[in-house]
Amino acid sequence: MKYQLVIFDLDGTILDTLEDLTDSMNYALKKYGYPVRTIEEVRSFVGNGLLMLTRRAIAPETDEAVIQRVLAEQKAYYKEHCADKTRPYDGIIELLQHLKQQGVKLAVVSNKADHAVKELCDTYFPNALEISVGEREGIRRKPAPDTVNEVLQLLQMKKEQAVYIGDSEVDVATAKNAEMDCIAVDWGFRDKDCLQEAGATVIVSTTKQVEKHILQ
Protein backbone atom coordinates (compact mmCIF):
# COMPACT_ATOMS: atom_id res chain seq x y z
CA MET A 1 0.00 0.00 0.00
CA LYS A 2 1.52 3.30 -1.12
CA TYR A 3 -0.33 5.67 1.27
CA GLN A 4 -1.71 5.28 4.78
CA LEU A 5 -3.64 8.56 4.80
CA VAL A 6 -5.73 10.17 2.08
CA ILE A 7 -6.77 13.79 2.50
CA PHE A 8 -9.55 14.81 0.13
CA ASP A 9 -10.75 18.20 -0.96
CA LEU A 10 -14.55 18.38 -0.64
CA ASP A 11 -16.26 20.50 -3.33
CA GLY A 12 -15.62 19.17 -6.81
CA THR A 13 -13.66 16.19 -5.53
CA ILE A 14 -15.95 13.94 -3.50
CA LEU A 15 -19.12 16.08 -3.45
CA ASP A 16 -20.80 17.82 -6.37
CA THR A 17 -21.90 21.00 -4.57
CA LEU A 18 -22.03 23.29 -7.59
CA GLU A 19 -25.80 23.69 -7.92
CA ASP A 20 -26.31 24.54 -4.25
CA LEU A 21 -23.40 26.99 -4.35
CA THR A 22 -24.86 28.61 -7.46
CA ASP A 23 -28.35 28.84 -5.98
CA SER A 24 -27.11 30.41 -2.75
CA MET A 25 -24.89 32.89 -4.60
CA ASN A 26 -27.68 33.90 -6.93
CA TYR A 27 -30.13 34.30 -4.06
CA ALA A 28 -27.79 36.83 -2.45
CA LEU A 29 -26.98 38.58 -5.73
CA LYS A 30 -30.64 38.95 -6.61
CA LYS A 31 -31.50 40.30 -3.17
CA TYR A 32 -28.97 43.12 -3.58
CA GLY A 33 -29.80 43.88 -7.21
CA TYR A 34 -26.82 42.25 -8.91
CA PRO A 35 -27.09 40.09 -12.05
CA VAL A 36 -27.23 36.37 -11.34
CA ARG A 37 -24.45 34.08 -12.51
CA THR A 38 -24.58 30.91 -14.60
CA ILE A 39 -23.52 27.60 -13.13
CA GLU A 40 -20.42 27.63 -15.36
CA GLU A 41 -19.44 31.08 -14.11
CA VAL A 42 -19.75 29.92 -10.51
CA ARG A 43 -17.72 26.82 -11.39
CA SER A 44 -14.86 29.11 -12.44
CA PHE A 45 -15.21 31.27 -9.30
CA VAL A 46 -14.99 28.57 -6.62
CA GLY A 47 -11.91 27.13 -4.94
CA ASN A 48 -10.73 29.92 -2.66
CA GLY A 49 -13.57 30.10 -0.14
CA LEU A 50 -16.90 31.94 -0.06
CA LEU A 51 -15.44 35.41 0.28
CA MET A 52 -13.49 35.06 -2.96
CA LEU A 53 -16.53 33.47 -4.64
CA THR A 54 -18.58 36.53 -3.65
CA ARG A 55 -15.91 38.98 -4.80
CA ARG A 56 -15.73 37.30 -8.19
CA ALA A 57 -19.50 37.04 -8.53
CA ILE A 58 -20.14 40.77 -7.98
CA ALA A 59 -17.01 42.07 -9.73
CA PRO A 60 -16.12 44.85 -10.39
CA GLU A 61 -17.80 45.96 -7.13
CA THR A 62 -15.06 47.05 -4.74
CA ASP A 63 -17.08 48.39 -1.81
CA GLU A 64 -16.05 46.05 1.03
CA ALA A 65 -19.22 46.77 3.02
CA VAL A 66 -21.36 45.65 0.06
CA ILE A 67 -19.24 42.53 -0.46
CA GLN A 68 -19.63 41.61 3.21
CA ARG A 69 -23.43 42.08 3.11
CA VAL A 70 -23.79 39.88 0.03
CA LEU A 71 -21.46 37.31 1.59
CA ALA A 72 -23.47 37.22 4.81
CA GLU A 73 -26.68 36.67 2.84
CA GLN A 74 -25.06 33.93 0.79
CA LYS A 75 -23.73 32.19 3.90
CA ALA A 76 -27.10 32.33 5.67
CA TYR A 77 -28.92 30.87 2.66
CA TYR A 78 -26.28 28.22 2.04
CA LYS A 79 -26.34 27.12 5.67
CA GLU A 80 -30.00 26.17 5.24
CA HIS A 81 -29.74 24.80 1.71
CA CYS A 82 -26.24 23.27 1.44
CA ALA A 83 -27.62 19.77 0.85
CA ASP A 84 -30.62 20.48 -1.41
CA LYS A 85 -29.02 19.31 -4.66
CA THR A 86 -25.56 18.23 -3.49
CA ARG A 87 -24.56 14.60 -4.04
CA PRO A 88 -21.42 12.46 -3.96
CA TYR A 89 -19.78 11.91 -7.33
CA ASP A 90 -20.27 8.48 -8.86
CA GLY A 91 -18.14 5.83 -7.19
CA ILE A 92 -17.04 7.97 -4.24
CA ILE A 93 -18.99 6.08 -1.56
CA GLU A 94 -17.55 2.78 -2.79
CA LEU A 95 -14.04 4.27 -2.98
CA LEU A 96 -14.17 5.43 0.63
CA GLN A 97 -15.53 2.06 1.76
CA HIS A 98 -12.79 0.14 -0.08
CA LEU A 99 -10.00 2.35 1.23
CA LYS A 100 -11.31 2.13 4.78
CA GLN A 101 -11.52 -1.65 4.52
CA GLN A 102 -7.84 -1.66 3.53
CA GLY A 103 -6.94 0.30 6.67
CA VAL A 104 -6.36 3.64 4.97
CA LYS A 105 -7.19 6.68 7.10
CA LEU A 106 -9.45 9.24 5.40
CA ALA A 107 -9.82 12.97 5.99
CA VAL A 108 -11.23 16.09 4.32
CA VAL A 109 -9.66 19.54 4.11
CA SER A 110 -11.72 22.27 2.47
CA ASN A 111 -11.91 26.04 2.07
CA LYS A 112 -15.63 25.82 2.79
CA ALA A 113 -16.80 27.08 6.19
CA ASP A 114 -15.96 24.53 8.89
CA HIS A 115 -19.59 24.04 10.02
CA ALA A 116 -20.69 23.29 6.44
CA VAL A 117 -17.81 20.87 5.89
CA LYS A 118 -18.69 18.93 9.02
CA GLU A 119 -22.42 18.93 8.26
CA LEU A 120 -21.95 17.70 4.70
CA CYS A 121 -19.40 15.06 5.69
CA ASP A 122 -21.67 13.80 8.48
CA THR A 123 -24.61 13.70 6.05
CA TYR A 124 -22.99 12.00 3.09
CA PHE A 125 -20.02 10.11 4.58
CA PRO A 126 -21.05 9.07 8.10
CA ASN A 127 -18.32 7.14 9.96
CA ALA A 128 -16.04 7.18 6.90
CA LEU A 129 -13.67 10.00 7.87
CA GLU A 130 -11.19 10.35 10.69
CA ILE A 131 -11.46 14.12 10.60
CA SER A 132 -12.90 16.93 8.46
CA VAL A 133 -11.53 20.48 8.53
CA GLY A 134 -12.92 23.65 6.97
CA GLU A 135 -12.24 27.36 6.98
CA ARG A 136 -12.01 28.95 10.42
CA GLU A 137 -11.00 32.35 11.63
CA GLY A 138 -7.30 32.71 12.34
CA ILE A 139 -6.17 29.79 10.17
CA ARG A 140 -4.89 30.35 6.65
CA ARG A 141 -6.98 28.70 3.96
CA LYS A 142 -5.63 26.61 1.12
CA PRO A 143 -3.31 26.80 -0.76
CA ALA A 144 -1.51 27.48 2.53
CA PRO A 145 -0.62 24.09 4.05
CA ASP A 146 -1.91 24.91 7.55
CA THR A 147 -5.08 22.81 7.54
CA VAL A 148 -3.34 19.87 5.88
CA ASN A 149 -0.55 20.02 8.44
CA GLU A 150 -3.18 20.17 11.19
CA VAL A 151 -4.68 16.89 9.97
CA LEU A 152 -1.25 15.25 9.78
CA GLN A 153 -0.50 16.32 13.33
CA LEU A 154 -3.86 15.23 14.75
CA LEU A 155 -3.59 11.81 13.10
CA GLN A 156 0.13 11.52 13.89
CA MET A 157 1.03 10.82 10.30
CA LYS A 158 4.05 11.91 8.27
CA LYS A 159 3.57 13.76 4.99
CA GLU A 160 5.40 10.95 3.21
CA GLN A 161 2.62 8.57 4.31
CA ALA A 162 -0.14 10.76 2.89
CA VAL A 163 -1.55 11.99 -0.42
CA TYR A 164 -3.76 14.98 -1.13
CA ILE A 165 -6.57 14.61 -3.66
CA GLY A 166 -8.34 17.57 -5.23
CA ASP A 167 -9.87 18.99 -8.38
CA SER A 168 -8.39 22.46 -8.79
CA GLU A 169 -5.24 24.54 -9.11
CA VAL A 170 -5.71 25.46 -5.44
CA ASP A 171 -5.45 21.80 -4.47
CA VAL A 172 -2.35 21.22 -6.58
CA ALA A 173 -0.70 24.21 -4.90
CA THR A 174 -1.84 23.04 -1.47
CA ALA A 175 -0.16 19.66 -1.90
CA LYS A 176 2.99 21.35 -3.19
CA ASN A 177 3.08 23.75 -0.23
CA ALA A 178 2.56 20.84 2.18
CA GLU A 179 5.32 18.90 0.37
CA MET A 180 2.93 16.02 -0.23
CA ASP A 181 2.07 13.86 -3.21
CA CYS A 182 -1.01 14.95 -5.12
CA ILE A 183 -3.64 13.21 -7.19
CA ALA A 184 -5.77 15.58 -9.27
CA VAL A 185 -9.25 14.51 -10.45
CA ASP A 186 -10.72 15.95 -13.65
CA TRP A 187 -14.40 15.28 -12.94
CA GLY A 188 -14.83 18.34 -10.71
CA PHE A 189 -14.68 22.11 -11.12
CA ARG A 190 -11.55 22.25 -13.34
CA ASP A 191 -10.71 20.37 -16.53
CA LYS A 192 -7.56 18.42 -17.35
CA ASP A 193 -5.90 21.31 -19.20
CA CYS A 194 -6.30 23.61 -16.20
CA LEU A 195 -4.86 20.98 -13.87
CA GLN A 196 -1.88 20.38 -16.15
CA GLU A 197 -1.22 24.12 -16.35
CA ALA A 198 -1.28 24.20 -12.54
CA GLY A 199 1.48 21.61 -12.44
CA ALA A 200 -0.46 18.43 -11.70
CA THR A 201 1.56 15.36 -12.66
CA VAL A 202 -1.00 12.69 -11.71
CA ILE A 203 -4.47 13.33 -13.16
CA VAL A 204 -7.23 10.71 -13.00
CA SER A 205 -10.73 10.47 -14.43
CA THR A 206 -12.30 7.65 -12.38
CA THR A 207 -12.45 6.53 -8.76
CA LYS A 208 -10.97 3.20 -9.84
CA GLN A 209 -7.85 5.05 -10.97
CA VAL A 210 -7.71 6.86 -7.63
CA GLU A 211 -7.89 3.57 -5.76
CA LYS A 212 -5.16 2.04 -7.93
CA HIS A 213 -2.78 4.93 -7.21
CA ILE A 214 -3.39 4.69 -3.48
CA LEU A 215 -3.19 0.94 -3.01
CA GLN A 216 -0.49 0.05 -5.57
Side-chain angles (χ1 to χ4, degrees), residues 101-155:
Q101 287 168 1
Q102 294 298 316
V104 179
K105 294 182 184 298
L106 308 174
V108 161
V109 166
S110 171
N111 276 342
K112 187 189 291 292
D114 191 62
H115 69 82
V117 171
K118 288 177 167 51
E119 179 180 340
L120 289 169
C121 287
D122 287 345
T123 298
Y124 293 102
F125 314 115
N127 306 314
L129 305 171
E130 300 289 330
I131 188 172
S132 58
V133 175
E135 181 184 8
R136 289 159 294 155
E137 193 171 341
I139 297 180
R140 294 184 301 169
R141 66 171 65 90
K142 300 182 302 180
D146 302 34
T147 44
V148 170
N149 289 337
E150 179 184 358
V151 168
L152 290 172
Q153 184 176 8
L154 288 170
L155 297 181

Short mmCIF file of all heavy atoms in Angstrom, two decimals, residues 101-155:
data_model
loop_
_atom_site.label_atom_id
_atom_site.label_comp_id
_atom_site.label_asym_id
_atom_site.label_seq_id
_atom_site.Cartn_x
_atom_site.Cartn_y
_atom_site.Cartn_z
N GLN A 101 -11.67 -0.21 4.29
CA GLN A 101 -11.52 -1.65 4.52
C GLN A 101 -10.06 -2.09 4.46
O GLN A 101 -9.65 -3.06 5.10
CB GLN A 101 -12.34 -2.43 3.48
CG GLN A 101 -13.85 -2.35 3.72
CD GLN A 101 -14.65 -2.86 2.53
OE1 GLN A 101 -14.09 -3.31 1.52
NE2 GLN A 101 -15.97 -2.80 2.64
N GLN A 102 -9.26 -1.36 3.67
CA GLN A 102 -7.84 -1.66 3.53
C GLN A 102 -7.00 -1.01 4.63
O GLN A 102 -5.77 -1.13 4.64
CB GLN A 102 -7.33 -1.21 2.17
CG GLN A 102 -7.93 -1.96 0.99
CD GLN A 102 -7.62 -3.44 1.02
OE1 GLN A 102 -6.48 -3.84 1.27
NE2 GLN A 102 -8.60 -4.28 0.77
N GLY A 103 -7.64 -0.31 5.55
CA GLY A 103 -6.94 0.30 6.67
C GLY A 103 -6.40 1.68 6.40
O GLY A 103 -5.60 2.21 7.20
N VAL A 104 -6.81 2.28 5.28
CA VAL A 104 -6.36 3.64 4.97
C VAL A 104 -7.17 4.64 5.79
O VAL A 104 -8.39 4.55 5.88
CB VAL A 104 -6.54 3.94 3.46
CG1 VAL A 104 -6.09 5.37 3.13
CG2 VAL A 104 -5.78 2.93 2.62
N LYS A 105 -6.50 5.61 6.39
CA LYS A 105 -7.19 6.68 7.10
C LYS A 105 -7.65 7.74 6.10
O LYS A 105 -6.93 8.06 5.16
CB LYS A 105 -6.26 7.32 8.15
CG LYS A 105 -5.88 6.37 9.29
CD LYS A 105 -5.02 7.08 10.31
CE LYS A 105 -4.55 6.12 11.41
NZ LYS A 105 -5.66 5.54 12.17
N LEU A 106 -8.85 8.29 6.34
CA LEU A 106 -9.45 9.24 5.40
C LEU A 106 -9.79 10.55 6.11
O LEU A 106 -10.27 10.55 7.24
CB LEU A 106 -10.73 8.65 4.80
CG LEU A 106 -10.61 7.25 4.18
CD1 LEU A 106 -11.98 6.74 3.77
CD2 LEU A 106 -9.66 7.27 2.99
N ALA A 107 -9.52 11.66 5.43
CA ALA A 107 -9.82 12.97 5.99
C ALA A 107 -10.24 13.92 4.87
O ALA A 107 -10.03 13.64 3.68
CB ALA A 107 -8.59 13.53 6.72
N VAL A 108 -10.84 15.04 5.27
CA VAL A 108 -11.23 16.09 4.32
C VAL A 108 -10.67 17.41 4.79
O VAL A 108 -10.74 17.74 5.98
CB VAL A 108 -12.77 16.19 4.19
CG1 VAL A 108 -13.18 17.53 3.59
CG2 VAL A 108 -13.30 15.04 3.34
N VAL A 109 -10.09 18.16 3.86
CA VAL A 109 -9.66 19.54 4.11
C VAL A 109 -10.26 20.41 3.02
O VAL A 109 -10.06 20.15 1.83
CB VAL A 109 -8.12 19.66 4.11
CG1 VAL A 109 -7.72 21.12 4.02
CG2 VAL A 109 -7.54 19.04 5.36
N SER A 110 -10.99 21.44 3.42
CA SER A 110 -11.72 22.27 2.47
C SER A 110 -11.61 23.74 2.83
O SER A 110 -11.37 24.09 3.99
CB SER A 110 -13.21 21.85 2.47
OG SER A 110 -13.99 22.75 1.72
N ASN A 111 -11.81 24.61 1.82
CA ASN A 111 -11.91 26.04 2.07
C ASN A 111 -13.33 26.48 2.37
O ASN A 111 -13.59 27.66 2.58
CB ASN A 111 -11.37 26.84 0.86
CG ASN A 111 -9.87 27.01 0.91
OD1 ASN A 111 -9.25 26.84 1.95
ND2 ASN A 111 -9.27 27.34 -0.23
N LYS A 112 -14.26 25.53 2.40
CA LYS A 112 -15.63 25.82 2.79
C LYS A 112 -15.68 26.05 4.30
O LYS A 112 -14.83 25.53 5.05
CB LYS A 112 -16.53 24.64 2.41
CG LYS A 112 -18.02 24.87 2.61
CD LYS A 112 -18.79 23.57 2.42
CE LYS A 112 -18.79 23.12 0.98
NZ LYS A 112 -19.57 24.01 0.11
N ALA A 113 -16.65 26.81 4.75
CA ALA A 113 -16.80 27.08 6.19
C ALA A 113 -16.82 25.76 6.97
O ALA A 113 -17.43 24.78 6.54
CB ALA A 113 -18.07 27.86 6.45
N ASP A 114 -16.15 25.75 8.12
CA ASP A 114 -15.96 24.53 8.89
C ASP A 114 -17.29 23.86 9.25
O ASP A 114 -17.41 22.63 9.16
CB ASP A 114 -15.18 24.85 10.16
CG ASP A 114 -14.70 23.61 10.89
OD1 ASP A 114 -13.92 22.84 10.30
OD2 ASP A 114 -15.13 23.40 12.04
N HIS A 115 -18.30 24.65 9.63
CA HIS A 115 -19.59 24.04 10.02
C HIS A 115 -20.23 23.33 8.84
O HIS A 115 -20.85 22.26 9.00
CB HIS A 115 -20.54 25.10 10.61
CG HIS A 115 -21.04 26.09 9.60
ND1 HIS A 115 -22.11 25.83 8.77
CD2 HIS A 115 -20.63 27.34 9.29
CE1 HIS A 115 -22.32 26.88 7.98
NE2 HIS A 115 -21.44 27.80 8.27
N ALA A 116 -20.11 23.91 7.63
CA ALA A 116 -20.69 23.29 6.44
C ALA A 116 -19.94 22.03 6.06
O ALA A 116 -20.54 21.02 5.67
CB ALA A 116 -20.69 24.28 5.28
N VAL A 117 -18.62 22.06 6.19
CA VAL A 117 -17.81 20.87 5.89
C VAL A 117 -18.23 19.72 6.79
O VAL A 117 -18.47 18.60 6.32
CB VAL A 117 -16.31 21.18 6.09
CG1 VAL A 117 -15.48 19.90 6.00
CG2 VAL A 117 -15.82 22.18 5.06
N LYS A 118 -18.34 19.99 8.07
CA LYS A 118 -18.69 18.93 9.02
C LYS A 118 -20.11 18.42 8.79
O LYS A 118 -20.38 17.21 8.86
CB LYS A 118 -18.50 19.43 10.45
CG LYS A 118 -17.02 19.56 10.83
CD LYS A 118 -16.82 20.11 12.21
CE LYS A 118 -15.38 19.94 12.70
NZ LYS A 118 -14.35 20.43 11.78
N GLU A 119 -21.04 19.34 8.51
CA GLU A 119 -22.42 18.93 8.26
C GLU A 119 -22.53 18.06 7.02
O GLU A 119 -23.18 17.01 7.03
CB GLU A 119 -23.32 20.17 8.10
CG GLU A 119 -24.77 19.83 7.81
CD GLU A 119 -25.64 21.06 7.64
OE1 GLU A 119 -25.26 22.16 8.10
OE2 GLU A 119 -26.73 20.93 7.03
N LEU A 120 -21.87 18.47 5.95
CA LEU A 120 -21.95 17.70 4.70
C LEU A 120 -21.25 16.35 4.83
O LEU A 120 -21.75 15.33 4.35
CB LEU A 120 -21.33 18.50 3.56
CG LEU A 120 -22.15 19.71 3.09
CD1 LEU A 120 -21.33 20.58 2.14
CD2 LEU A 120 -23.44 19.27 2.42
N CYS A 121 -20.11 16.33 5.50
CA CYS A 121 -19.40 15.06 5.69
C CYS A 121 -20.20 14.10 6.57
O CYS A 121 -20.26 12.89 6.30
CB CYS A 121 -18.02 15.31 6.29
SG CYS A 121 -16.83 16.03 5.12
N ASP A 122 -20.84 14.64 7.61
CA ASP A 122 -21.67 13.80 8.48
C ASP A 122 -22.89 13.27 7.73
O ASP A 122 -23.33 12.14 7.96
CB ASP A 122 -22.13 14.58 9.70
CG ASP A 122 -21.01 14.82 10.70
OD1 ASP A 122 -19.97 14.15 10.60
OD2 ASP A 122 -21.18 15.68 11.59
N THR A 123 -23.42 14.09 6.81
CA THR A 123 -24.61 13.70 6.05
C THR A 123 -24.30 12.64 5.01
O THR A 123 -25.01 11.63 4.89
CB THR A 123 -25.23 14.93 5.37
OG1 THR A 123 -25.63 15.88 6.36
CG2 THR A 123 -26.45 14.53 4.53
N TYR A 124 -23.25 12.86 4.24
CA TYR A 124 -22.99 12.00 3.09
C TYR A 124 -21.95 10.90 3.35
O TYR A 124 -21.96 9.88 2.65
CB TYR A 124 -22.53 12.85 1.90
CG TYR A 124 -23.61 13.75 1.38
CD1 TYR A 124 -23.64 15.11 1.68
CD2 TYR A 124 -24.64 13.24 0.58
CE1 TYR A 124 -24.64 15.94 1.21
CE2 TYR A 124 -25.65 14.06 0.10
CZ TYR A 124 -25.65 15.40 0.42
OH TYR A 124 -26.66 16.21 -0.05
N PHE A 125 -21.08 11.10 4.32
CA PHE A 125 -20.02 10.11 4.58
C PHE A 125 -19.95 9.76 6.06
O PHE A 125 -18.87 9.84 6.68
CB PHE A 125 -18.68 10.66 4.10
CG PHE A 125 -18.72 11.28 2.73
CD1 PHE A 125 -18.48 12.64 2.56
CD2 PHE A 125 -19.01 10.52 1.61
CE1 PHE A 125 -18.52 13.22 1.30
CE2 PHE A 125 -19.07 11.08 0.35
CZ PHE A 125 -18.83 12.44 0.19
N PRO A 126 -21.06 9.36 6.66
CA PRO A 126 -21.05 9.07 8.10
C PRO A 126 -20.09 7.93 8.43
O PRO A 126 -20.06 6.90 7.74
CB PRO A 126 -22.50 8.67 8.39
CG PRO A 126 -23.05 8.22 7.07
CD PRO A 126 -22.37 9.07 6.05
N ASN A 127 -19.26 8.15 9.45
CA ASN A 127 -18.32 7.14 9.96
C ASN A 127 -17.20 6.77 8.99
O ASN A 127 -16.44 5.84 9.25
CB ASN A 127 -19.07 5.85 10.35
CG ASN A 127 -20.19 6.11 11.34
OD1 ASN A 127 -20.01 6.84 12.32
ND2 ASN A 127 -21.36 5.55 11.07
N ALA A 128 -17.08 7.52 7.88
CA ALA A 128 -16.04 7.18 6.90
C ALA A 128 -14.74 7.93 7.17
O ALA A 128 -13.66 7.43 6.85
CB ALA A 128 -16.53 7.49 5.49
N LEU A 129 -14.83 9.12 7.76
CA LEU A 129 -13.67 10.00 7.87
C LEU A 129 -13.13 10.06 9.29
O LEU A 129 -13.89 10.04 10.26
CB LEU A 129 -14.04 11.42 7.43
CG LEU A 129 -14.64 11.55 6.03
CD1 LEU A 129 -15.16 12.96 5.81
CD2 LEU A 129 -13.62 11.18 4.95
N GLU A 130 -11.82 10.14 9.39
CA GLU A 130 -11.19 10.35 10.69
C GLU A 130 -11.41 11.77 11.18
O GLU A 130 -11.62 12.02 12.37
CB GLU A 130 -9.68 10.08 10.59
CG GLU A 130 -9.30 8.69 10.14
CD GLU A 130 -9.58 7.64 11.20
OE1 GLU A 130 -9.53 7.97 12.39
OE2 GLU A 130 -9.85 6.48 10.81
N ILE A 131 -11.35 12.71 10.24
CA ILE A 131 -11.46 14.12 10.60
C ILE A 131 -11.84 14.92 9.36
O ILE A 131 -11.47 14.56 8.24
CB ILE A 131 -10.13 14.65 11.19
CG1 ILE A 131 -10.30 16.06 11.75
CG2 ILE A 131 -9.00 14.59 10.18
CD1 ILE A 131 -9.08 16.55 12.51
N SER A 132 -12.60 16.00 9.54
CA SER A 132 -12.90 16.93 8.46
C SER A 132 -12.64 18.35 8.95
O SER A 132 -13.02 18.70 10.07
CB SER A 132 -14.35 16.78 7.99
OG SER A 132 -15.26 17.01 9.05
N VAL A 133 -11.98 19.14 8.14
CA VAL A 133 -11.53 20.48 8.53
C VAL A 133 -11.93 21.49 7.46
O VAL A 133 -11.68 21.27 6.27
CB VAL A 133 -10.00 20.52 8.73
CG1 VAL A 133 -9.53 21.94 9.02
CG2 VAL A 133 -9.58 19.57 9.84
N GLY A 134 -12.56 22.58 7.89
CA GLY A 134 -12.92 23.65 6.97
C GLY A 134 -12.32 24.97 7.38
O GLY A 134 -11.47 25.04 8.27
N GLU A 135 -12.77 26.02 6.72
CA GLU A 135 -12.24 27.36 6.98
C GLU A 135 -12.69 27.86 8.34
O GLU A 135 -13.86 27.77 8.70
CB GLU A 135 -12.74 28.33 5.90
CG GLU A 135 -12.21 29.74 6.06
CD GLU A 135 -12.80 30.70 5.05
OE1 GLU A 135 -13.71 30.32 4.31
OE2 GLU A 135 -12.33 31.86 5.02
N ARG A 136 -11.74 28.36 9.11
CA ARG A 136 -12.01 28.95 10.42
C ARG A 136 -11.19 30.22 10.58
O ARG A 136 -10.14 30.37 9.97
CB ARG A 136 -11.63 27.96 11.53
CG ARG A 136 -12.54 26.75 11.65
CD ARG A 136 -11.85 25.62 12.37
NE ARG A 136 -10.73 25.12 11.58
CZ ARG A 136 -9.67 24.50 12.08
NH1 ARG A 136 -9.57 24.31 13.38
NH2 ARG A 136 -8.71 24.07 11.31
N GLU A 137 -11.69 31.09 11.41
CA GLU A 137 -11.00 32.35 11.63
C GLU A 137 -9.63 32.11 12.26
O GLU A 137 -9.48 31.27 13.15
CB GLU A 137 -11.84 33.25 12.55
CG GLU A 137 -11.36 34.70 12.60
CD GLU A 137 -12.32 35.60 13.34
OE1 GLU A 137 -13.50 35.22 13.51
OE2 GLU A 137 -11.88 36.68 13.75
N GLY A 138 -8.63 32.80 11.76
CA GLY A 138 -7.30 32.71 12.34
C GLY A 138 -6.42 31.63 11.74
O GLY A 138 -5.25 31.50 12.12
N ILE A 139 -6.96 30.84 10.82
CA ILE A 139 -6.17 29.79 10.17
C ILE A 139 -6.17 30.05 8.66
O ILE A 139 -7.23 30.24 8.06
CB ILE A 139 -6.73 28.39 10.46
CG1 ILE A 139 -6.66 28.10 11.95
CG2 ILE A 139 -5.96 27.32 9.68
CD1 ILE A 139 -7.19 26.75 12.36
N ARG A 140 -4.99 30.07 8.08
CA ARG A 140 -4.89 30.35 6.65
C ARG A 140 -5.57 29.25 5.83
O ARG A 140 -5.43 28.07 6.11
CB ARG A 140 -3.42 30.47 6.23
CG ARG A 140 -2.69 31.66 6.83
CD ARG A 140 -1.29 31.75 6.27
NE ARG A 140 -0.51 30.54 6.54
CZ ARG A 140 0.68 30.28 5.98
NH1 ARG A 140 1.22 31.15 5.13
NH2 ARG A 140 1.33 29.17 6.29
N ARG A 141 -6.31 29.67 4.83
CA ARG A 141 -6.98 28.70 3.96
C ARG A 141 -6.01 28.20 2.89
O ARG A 141 -4.94 28.76 2.68
CB ARG A 141 -8.21 29.33 3.31
CG ARG A 141 -7.91 30.46 2.34
CD ARG A 141 -9.14 30.88 1.57
NE ARG A 141 -10.13 31.45 2.44
CZ ARG A 141 -10.23 32.75 2.74
NH1 ARG A 141 -9.33 33.60 2.25
NH2 ARG A 141 -11.18 33.20 3.51
N LYS A 142 -6.40 27.11 2.25
CA LYS A 142 -5.63 26.61 1.12
C LYS A 142 -5.50 27.73 0.07
O LYS A 142 -6.44 28.50 -0.09
CB LYS A 142 -6.33 25.41 0.48
CG LYS A 142 -6.53 24.23 1.39
CD LYS A 142 -7.20 23.05 0.66
CE LYS A 142 -8.54 23.40 0.05
NZ LYS A 142 -9.16 22.26 -0.66
N PRO A 143 -4.37 27.81 -0.62
CA PRO A 143 -3.31 26.80 -0.76
C PRO A 143 -2.25 26.81 0.34
O PRO A 143 -1.26 26.08 0.21
CB PRO A 143 -2.69 27.15 -2.11
CG PRO A 143 -2.85 28.63 -2.21
CD PRO A 143 -4.18 28.92 -1.58
N ALA A 144 -2.42 27.61 1.38
CA ALA A 144 -1.51 27.48 2.53
C ALA A 144 -1.65 26.06 3.09
O ALA A 144 -2.75 25.49 3.06
CB ALA A 144 -1.85 28.51 3.60
N PRO A 145 -0.58 25.48 3.61
CA PRO A 145 -0.62 24.09 4.05
C PRO A 145 -1.14 23.89 5.47
O PRO A 145 -1.16 22.76 5.96
CB PRO A 145 0.85 23.67 3.96
CG PRO A 145 1.59 24.92 4.30
CD PRO A 145 0.79 26.05 3.69
N ASP A 146 -1.59 24.97 6.12
CA ASP A 146 -1.91 24.91 7.55
C ASP A 146 -2.92 23.83 7.91
O ASP A 146 -2.71 23.07 8.87
CB ASP A 146 -2.43 26.27 8.02
CG ASP A 146 -1.43 27.40 7.79
OD1 ASP A 146 -0.70 27.34 6.78
OD2 ASP A 146 -1.38 28.32 8.60
N THR A 147 -4.04 23.77 7.18
CA THR A 147 -5.08 22.81 7.54
C THR A 147 -4.65 21.37 7.24
O THR A 147 -5.00 20.45 7.97
CB THR A 147 -6.39 23.14 6.82
OG1 THR A 147 -6.12 23.45 5.43
CG2 THR A 147 -7.09 24.33 7.46
N VAL A 148 -3.88 21.19 6.18
CA VAL A 148 -3.34 19.87 5.88
C VAL A 148 -2.37 19.44 6.97
O VAL A 148 -2.43 18.30 7.46
CB VAL A 148 -2.65 19.86 4.50
CG1 VAL A 148 -1.87 18.57 4.29
CG2 VAL A 148 -3.66 20.05 3.39
N ASN A 149 -1.51 20.34 7.37
CA ASN A 149 -0.55 20.02 8.44
C ASN A 149 -1.27 19.73 9.76
O ASN A 149 -0.82 18.89 10.55
CB ASN A 149 0.43 21.18 8.63
CG ASN A 149 1.41 21.29 7.47
OD1 ASN A 149 1.66 20.32 6.77
ND2 ASN A 149 1.95 22.48 7.27
N GLU A 150 -2.39 20.42 9.99
CA GLU A 150 -3.18 20.17 11.19
C GLU A 150 -3.70 18.73 11.21
O GLU A 150 -3.64 18.05 12.24
CB GLU A 150 -4.36 21.15 11.24
CG GLU A 150 -5.27 20.95 12.44
CD GLU A 150 -6.48 21.87 12.40
OE1 GLU A 150 -6.60 22.68 11.48
OE2 GLU A 150 -7.32 21.75 13.31
N VAL A 151 -4.18 18.27 10.06
CA VAL A 151 -4.68 16.89 9.97
C VAL A 151 -3.55 15.90 10.20
O VAL A 151 -3.70 14.91 10.93
CB VAL A 151 -5.35 16.65 8.60
CG1 VAL A 151 -5.61 15.16 8.37
CG2 VAL A 151 -6.65 17.42 8.50
N LEU A 152 -2.39 16.14 9.59
CA LEU A 152 -1.25 15.25 9.78
C LEU A 152 -0.87 15.16 11.25
O LEU A 152 -0.61 14.07 11.77
CB LEU A 152 -0.05 15.76 8.98
CG LEU A 152 -0.14 15.67 7.45
CD1 LEU A 152 1.04 16.40 6.82
CD2 LEU A 152 -0.18 14.22 6.99
N GLN A 153 -0.87 16.30 11.92
CA GLN A 153 -0.50 16.32 13.33
C GLN A 153 -1.52 15.59 14.19
O GLN A 153 -1.16 14.79 15.06
CB GLN A 153 -0.35 17.77 13.80
CG GLN A 153 0.14 17.89 15.24
CD GLN A 153 0.36 19.34 15.65
OE1 GLN A 153 0.01 20.26 14.93
NE2 GLN A 153 0.93 19.54 16.83
N LEU A 154 -2.80 15.86 13.95
CA LEU A 154 -3.86 15.23 14.75
C LEU A 154 -3.88 13.72 14.58
O LEU A 154 -4.17 12.98 15.52
CB LEU A 154 -5.22 15.82 14.38
CG LEU A 154 -5.48 17.25 14.85
CD1 LEU A 154 -6.75 17.80 14.22
CD2 LEU A 154 -5.58 17.31 16.37
N LEU A 155 -3.57 13.25 13.37
CA LEU A 155 -3.59 11.81 13.10
C LEU A 155 -2.22 11.17 13.26
O LEU A 155 -2.06 9.97 13.03
CB LEU A 155 -4.13 11.55 11.69
CG LEU A 155 -5.58 11.99 11.45
CD1 LEU A 155 -6.01 11.67 10.02
CD2 LEU A 155 -6.53 11.33 12.44
#
